[in-house]
Amino acid sequence: MLTKQQNQIMQHPNLRSNLPVAALVEASIKTGQGSLSDKGALMINTGTFTGRSPRDRYIVEDDLTREKVDWGKVNIPFTPADYERLESKILAYAQGLDTVYFRDAYACASQKYRINVKVYTEQPWQNLFAYNMFLRPDGGQIKNLLTDDWTIYAFPGCLADPATDGTRQENFAVINFSKQTIIIGGTAYTGEIKKGIFSVLNFVLPTQRDVLSMHCSANVGTKGDSALFFGLSGTGKTTLSNDPDRRLIGDDEHGWSQANVFNLEGGCYAKVIDLSETKEPQIYRAIRFGALLENVVVRPDGHTPDYADASITENTRVSYPINHIENIMYNSRGDLPRNIFFLTCDAFGVLPPISRLTKEQAMYHFISGYTAKIAGTEAGITEPQATFSACFGAPFLPLHPTVYARMLGEKLDAAAENDTPINVWLVNTGWTGGSYGAGSRIELTYTRAIIKAALNGDLDAVPYRTDDFFGLSVPQRCPDVPNAILNPRDTWPNEAEYDRAATRLQALFEANYRPYAEAGAAAGAIGSDK
């Protein structure tokens, strides 16, 4: 049942519904909010917020969520009363605007699991973002979207009053699962829209649809073999999944059902800091008319993006429909995966370039979600810093991470029982021959060769050895890769220093895992590092 205010916004005197891309671009330029790049992309600035604000993202705690959501620093509870007050405020704010932009869309490329999404925005370029990132219905489907599943209200000019609205500060993003609504105010950063629905799917798909939702990229080979690539920022997830010899299913969010792997989105939201056509040709060429560049510095000519300039933010971004990429799966779906890659940039220089994981190790490393920040990338960091993000996407997981890890284990078991075993690989795209500052980064050509060998089955029959510190199974030969780098201890000038670094990293893994064990997720339930 729609409230009076919800009905009112649908009857807004200047509600611009499902405008074409050209009209949204034109409206952004006419209002002085954007300009065209030399390639025709719309360039905008999101203002104060150039990234998500995790401490201001809330979930309404009610009968539906109280016993299921993993409450804490990631999932901050919000009372139903505070939500009703804040929703009324944002809808009243929308009524006072000269123009409101509306878009019909949906999420999940699998028809069986799709959810319809209605997006109301204050700015035309926010609506363009929704067009780019969600799946786009054709004209016939739009007419059928009469009973929407989820509604998003994104009005950055609506500010919360922390004294009365239950928020920490003026900006907010609140998910209400019972009302199937997301309200976003005080921030114009478009990623809040994208990750709001991703958080919704990370609750709905596992609990109601028996689908494992995943923060990963995916592609398909010429023989129909799907592969998944998990990895935090800087690990090479986008680079390695954009393979000219394989078709891209999607670059960031996927579901794994009993039948297939499917994209949750209809577009890509890529970082563009230091972007070049040489390093990322597919992304570079996708930045044309219809793409939305965010917070990128413009050169003095007023039209050319300076991708190397991080003076606004390191988190410069572009969104574009997935069909801006040439080599894609037309239906954004693929068969069940045959290979899974956990990518880590190990700045300690300890982990092998590739190792094959058992089911238990796969669950352990999935729930660990490890990479390392490099010394010098942030103020105060003088040596490598371990970073752990459960399931490679902790900020977007409403459920306890062990729920997703157990689902992964069950899917690996089911594949083995059906005589279609899945290879799970831990791939280090970071350092060899020493930690950052002493060793060197593993060459991208070697990492590409390693991924290719794993996908082609070239590592199936080679000899393996067991790593002494992590119990990893390490291949001793790989086509087009020097044997010497496959065993990281052998590449260090001082093996005793390697042992100390490995011992330290092993302790960091154990400390990160300890809370999961203490929460009752025993190692036998979610896997082990050995």
Side-chain angles (χ1 to χ4, degrees):
M1 178 72 67
L2 296 177
T3 66
K4 180 180 178 181
Q5 285 181 308
Q6 288 171 328
N7 277 309
Q8 284 176 338
I9 195 172
M10 295 172 66
Q11 303 301 320
H12 191 284
N14 198 21
L15 182 68
R16 309 298 302 277
S17 299
N18 296 309
L19 291 182
V21 169
L24 293 170
V25 172
E26 181 182 28
S28 300
I29 294 173
K30 277 188 173 181
T31 55
Q33 299 177 64
S35 62
L36 287 181
S37 76
D38 58 341
K39 304 296 184 185
L42 179 63
M43 297 184 292
I44 60 95
N45 191 305
T46 61
T48 303
F49 290 91
T50 58
R52 292 180 306 100
S53 185
R55 296 175 64 193
D56 301 296
R57 178 266 211 182
Y58 306 91
I59 294 177
V60 175
E61 182 181 8
D62 56 20
D63 290 344
L64 179 61
T65 60
R66 188 169 295 112
E67 301 301 324
K68 293 181 179 178
V69 169
D70 182 31
W71 302 107
K73 292 181 180 180
V74 170
N75 301 305
I76 306 168
F78 207 69
T79 70
D82 284 339
Y83 175 84
E84 294 299 332
R85 183 165 47 252
L86 200 50
E87 185 191 79
S88 294
K89 176 180 284 191
I90 203 169
L91 291 173
Y93 173 85
Q95 280 302 115
L97 294 173
D98 291 336
T99 305
V100 171
Y101 298 89
F102 167 76
R103 175 134 327 261
D104 273 311
Y106 66 98
C108 298
S110 172
Q111 180 74 20
K112 184 176 181 179
Y113 303 109
R114 65 177 280 184
I115 66 168
N116 299 330
V117 182
K118 290 186 181 294
V119 188
Y120 294 86
T121 68
E122 180 173 356
Q123 307 298 354
W125 45 267
Q126 291 178 288
N127 208 261
L128 176 61
F129 177 84
Y131 173 87
N132 286 346
M133 294 310 304
F134 295 125
L135 288 151
R136 293 160 290 280
D138 60 29
Q141 288 174 309
I142 288 176
K143 294 177 183 178
N144 293 331
L145 297 185
L146 298 178
T147 54
D148 56 297
D149 290 340
W150 276 83
T151 303
I152 301 173
Y153 301 109
F155 295 91
C158 179
L159 306 180
D161 180 355
T164 58
D165 291 328
T167 59
R168 185 180 69 96
Q169 51 187 24
E170 292 180 329
N171 62 296
F172 57 88
V174 188
I175 302 172
N176 190 322
F177 282 97
S178 293
K179 295 188 71 171
Q180 297 184 171
T181 303
I182 301 172
I183 55 175
I184 301 168
T187 172
Y189 181 65
T190 56
E192 297 284 10
I193 297 172
K194 163 188 162 74
K195 291 306 185 185
I197 287 296
F198 185 43
S199 297
V200 166
L201 293 171
N202 280 327
F203 181 90
V204 171
L205 291 179
T207 62
Q208 300 175 14
R209 311 291 179 88
D210 193 29
V211 170
L212 174 59
S213 51
M214 304 173 293
H215 190 211
C216 70
S217 58
N219 63 24
V220 180
T222 55
K223 296 179 181 179
D225 56 306
S226 297
L228 307 179
F229 297 80
F230 293 84
L232 303 178
S233 179
T235 59
K237 176 170 63 109
T238 301
T239 300
L240 294 169
S241 62
N242 277 276
D243 185 333
D245 297 325
R246 298 174 65 84
R247 287 172 290 171
L248 183 70
I249 300 175
D251 80 327
D252 196 47
E253 302 173 7
H254 291 84
W256 181 351
S257 70
Q258 292 183 356
N260 57 23
V261 169
F262 57 91
N263 198 345
L264 304 183
E265 304 182 288
C268 302
Y269 193 41
K271 284 187 176 181
V272 293
I273 193 70
D274 290 326
L275 179 70
S276 71
E277 188 170 13
T278 302
K279 291 193 296 184
E280 300 283 2
Q282 289 187 311
I283 295 174
Y284 187 89
R285 295 166 192 163
I287 303 176
R288 56 183 191 266
F289 184 77
L292 180 66
L293 280 169
E294 298 178 5
N295 305 311
V296 176
V297 173
V298 183
R299 294 186 184 276
D301 64 12
H303 295 286
T304 306
D306 186 349
Y307 295 121
D309 192 329
S311 58
I312 296 176
T313 177
E314 286 274 351
N315 190 39
T316 51
R317 292 273 183 172
V318 63
S319 69
Y320 49 82
I322 196 168
N323 57 23
H324 277 210
I325 299 288
E326 294 179 2
N327 197 25
I328 61 170
M329 286 292 289
Y330 76 95
N331 61 2
S332 293
R333 299 192 295 272
D335 290 340
L336 297 177
R338 299 302 303 271
N339 288 276
I340 298 173
F341 298 95
F342 296 154
L343 306 175
T344 177
C345 177
D346 178 27
F348 290 88
V350 165
L351 295 177
I354 187 168
S355 49
R356 188 168 57 191
L357 305 180
T358 65
K359 184 197 83 170
E360 290 74 23
Q361 288 173 330
M363 295 167 70
Y364 180 89
H365 284 278
F366 183 56
I367 211 167
S368 296
Y370 164 71
T371 192
K373 292 180 181 178
I374 302 168
T377 58
E378 293 183 15
I381 296 181
T382 58
E383 59 182 11
Q385 299 288 310
T387 298
F388 297 93
S389 184
C391 308
F392 298 93
F396 322 116
L397 304 182
L399 308 177
H400 196 278
T402 55
V403 174
Y404 307 96
R406 289 192 184 102
M407 289 187 76
L408 174 65
E410 290 166 0
K411 289 185 176 298
L412 295 176
D413 281 339
E417 291 169 2
N418 291 330
D419 257 351
T420 55
I422 300 169
N423 292 314
V424 185
W425 309 91
L426 181 65
V427 174
N428 176 19
T429 64
W431 267 253
T432 185
S435 299
Y436 175 82
S440 59
R441 185 122 193 213
I442 297 170
E443 291 186 25
L444 180 58
T445 53
Y446 293 156
T447 302
R448 289 191 187 279
I450 284 169
I451 297 290
K452 181 179 180 180
L455 291 169
N456 290 344
D458 294 335
L459 302 182
D460 292 350
V462 302
Y464 281 75
R465 74 168 185 89
T466 302
D467 168 78
D468 291 334
F469 289 89
F470 298 92
L472 301 170
S473 186
V474 183
Q476 297 301 282
R477 290 198 302 271
C478 180
D480 301 318
V481 177
N483 291 343
I485 75 164
L486 295 174
N487 299 316
R489 190 171 188 266
D490 296 340
T491 68
W492 281 53
N494 186 319
E495 292 181 346
E497 288 184 4
Y498 170 88
D499 292 345
R500 284 192 289 271
T503 300
R504 181 186 173 199
L505 183 58
Q506 183 185 38
L508 292 172
F509 265 93
E510 292 172 353
N512 173 72
Y513 172 75
R514 197 167 297 122
Y516 299 108
E518 293 172 353
I526 66 166
S528 170
D529 62 337
K530 289 191 177 182

